Amino acid sequence: MDFFCNYPSEVNKTNYLELNDNTEVFYGLPKNVKFCKSCVISNQRPSTSVEFKNDGKQPKQAINFNDDGICDACKVRKNIEIIDWEAREKELKQICDKYRRNDGRYDCLVPGSGGKDSFMTAHLLKYKYGMNPLTCTWAPHIYTDWGWKNHQAWIHAGFDNLLFTPNGKVHRLLTRLAMEKLFYPFQPFILGQKNMPPKIAAKYDIELIFYGENQAEYGNPKSDSKNPKMANKFFSKDDKDKIYLGGTSLDELKEIGLKKVDWEPYLPIDNCYLEEKKIEYYYLGYFEKWHPQGAYYYSVKNGDFKSAPERTAGTFNTYNSIDDKVDDFHYHTTFIKFGIGRATYDAAQEIRSGDLMREEGIALVKKFDGEFPERWASEVFNYLSLPEKEFPDISKFFEKPIFDRKYYDLLADKFRSPHIWKWDNKNGWSLRYKIFEIEENNKQEDSAGSWQGNKAR
């Protein structure tokens, strides 16, 4: 029988021995791995893509480095200090005055989970700028206890909220497909998180949607930071677009047994309808001086936000993106695909914000990056399984419907790019390039002894 998803076989490890001119490079990434001389991010970090077009075959756009070896995200953060924030606030007030309603209806929409950034966004809009926001949430795959409590704390800080929870069986299937096709378990959540808000705005005749900080502050092209609006391409489509969910076309999903009603919640809004409803997406961080750790303290002070009672797997902090148990595996898969784990992402952001010295960030990357997320592994693997009893028809399309640690490890090897990973029989898998080894060996002049960091906002 031909299965839609075959059990992963072992990769040919001879491809991962010596690095040479013929070494294969996955995902269209730069072959020569480099690390930013200001933070700890590498040039393998992919920029945000249009998820509903992700078929797993298109090359990634990686973060840009300038001739001095500084990444775009660090350049964007540095430029924050020369922005006229008073002028930006005037712009924001003008936008709010344009859309503000006094007729008992919502005048803006704030998508989010009730985490620090969405909390601060909604709270500032309501209590500082006098707006009447509706908040909306696409439910996590598997709520953490503290994630659910923070979501409730957000509501009880004075906000109406629409919580959309997708069909559990469909969501599990799409998550499994996203693992198989893209090694990206978080993609179904990202699809819903991006594509649901404009549909809600359209239904409630809300023309204004606000997110927190601009994606350029984390690695999207520097030019994006000059635009207060999110590009429509991330959440809207035209008739010519071919849609992929979990790296799977709609025709293939139909073949597996899904119907249009099953995948409709994940689809982007039509461009023509978006234009008809005059919906605009803004980044509040374009107008407000945004400091991620500051958003945490703001949320604690104004909304009883609670950090997790334990360190997040793969990193050192307890307050960032903590509402979904699948999140741990999302960052472990980025470590496998790009050599960038959660500690690298977090350390890079906190170095740019002035909360960590670069030397500290490198040490934290060495200690935590790539840590296997053991704490919820059995629960997540159970979520990714499609047992015959629960999925009598769909399970037949998978050679092995039950997902376990061995399945995960074999699948992970399939997504390791030979230019990033090497293999030897004694030590197994290891990264070819590690920032803490490069820094120690090269004794770069920009070490923490001379590096001043960016000023905290």
Side-chain angles (χ1 to χ4, degrees), residues 8 59 90 117 120 127 154 167 176 199 208 296 313 325 375 380 405 416 444-445:
K90 288 181 180 177
D117 296 312
M120 190 167 100
Y127 294 106
W154 189 27
N167 180 319
R176 174 65 177 269
K199 295 177 183 178
L208 187 60
Y296 163 67
K325 293 181 179 181
R375 59 178 178 169
V380 171
R405 176 63 188 271
R416 296 181 194 269
Q444 294 183 2
E445 295 178 358

Side-chain angles (χ1 to χ4, degrees), residues 17 29 47 57 60 68 85 122-123 125 164 177 197 207 257 269 293 380 382 395:
L17 300 178
L29 297 172
S47 297
K57 300 175 183 177
K60 303 288 186 184
D68 295 324
W85 290 105
H123 199 273
L125 287 168
F164 184 89
L177 290 171
E207 298 180 354
I269 195 170
Q293 201 171 105
V380 171
N382 182 66
S395 64

Side-chain angles (χ1 to χ4, degrees), residues 195-204 264-269 273 279:
N195 295 334
M196 176 189 67
K199 295 177 183 178
I200 290 178
K203 289 182 181 297
Y204 281 82
E264 195 283 331
Y266 301 87
L267 299 184
I269 195 170
Y273 194 44
I279 297 171

